[in-house]
Amino acid sequence: GGGCGCRHPEAGEPGWAVASARSGGLGWSGGTVCRLAERFPVFALNVLASLRRQLTEAHERVGELATARADQRVALALLRLAAAASPVAGDARIELPVSREDIAQMAGTTLYTVSRVIAGWEREGLLELGRQLVVILRREGIERRARG
């Protein structure tokens, strides 16, 4: 029960992810989350804080879609991925196991635009492309592109 109005999201909705490599996962049903929130107020506060972060990020992305050029949005998408990546000790390279199609979706643009932008950045030595892989070589260059 619970009666807190929680509902379990469907695949493809916020809160779901697709792994780029073989992995495991753990999830709670909506009912379990509701019961935990009712029983442990700190849990409920943590859920609210997480939702606040997600809404803030969504608001920022809507702003980007409305005001930033496509190349800026591509750079911002790469920087968001880089922020979540695990750095390799002593290596300035940031490996992102992501496809151009994924970047296009994140940046709200077309595959053609992402391919054109990334190919230009590869020629400039900012990154390298592989199959389902983007390697950022010069993060500061991508940051400059994000600022316009």
Side-chain angles (χ1 to χ4, degrees), residues 71-93:
D71 60 325
Q72 288 175 294
R73 296 193 314 266
V74 170
L76 289 165
L78 290 173
L79 291 171
R80 274 193 290 276
L81 290 168
S86 301
V88 177
D91 192 355
R93 299 164 44 101

Side-chain angles (χ1 to χ4, degrees), residues 56-66 73 77 80 105-106:
T56 298
E57 183 177 321
H59 183 262
E60 290 170 0
R61 289 206 187 171
V62 168
E64 289 170 10
L65 288 171
R73 296 193 314 266
R80 274 193 290 276
Q105 286 184 344
M106 290 180 67

